[in-house]
Amino acid sequence: MFRLVTIERKHQSNLRILTNRMDLSAEAIGKMYQSRWQIELFFKHIKQHLTIKTY
């Protein structure tokens, strides 16, 4: 069983997230997604601007 969570964003298109987490509220899932996205952007920035041979 899956759950579809829609996140409404100001001045941007809505995000739809498919999840199997039934124990969390839609707001908590949205915040978790946004936090994860910030981490992804951080690592993207690191990879593009720093020369690191191993992680």
Side-chain angles (χ1 to χ4, degrees):
M1 180 177 286
F2 293 100
R3 174 180 173 191
L4 179 65
V5 176
T6 302
I7 300 171
E8 296 178 2
R9 301 184 299 170
K10 295 178 184 176
H11 309 294
Q12 295 179 9
S13 61
N14 294 342
L15 290 177
R16 292 183 181 166
I17 301 171
L18 191 61
T19 181
N20 61 352
R21 295 290 307 259
M22 303 296 177
D23 58 329
L24 297 174
S25 69
E27 291 83 13
I29 291 172
K31 288 179 183 179
M32 191 182 332
Y33 178 82
Q34 290 175 348
S35 296
R36 179 182 168 100
W37 187 248
Q38 291 301 317
I39 293 168
E40 294 290 333
L41 291 177
F42 171 73
F43 279 108
K44 179 182 176 183
H45 177 78
I46 294 284
K47 288 178 183 178
Q48 288 178 346
H49 294 92
L50 296 177
T51 306
I52 300 174
K53 298 202 187 272
T54 59
Y55 287 98

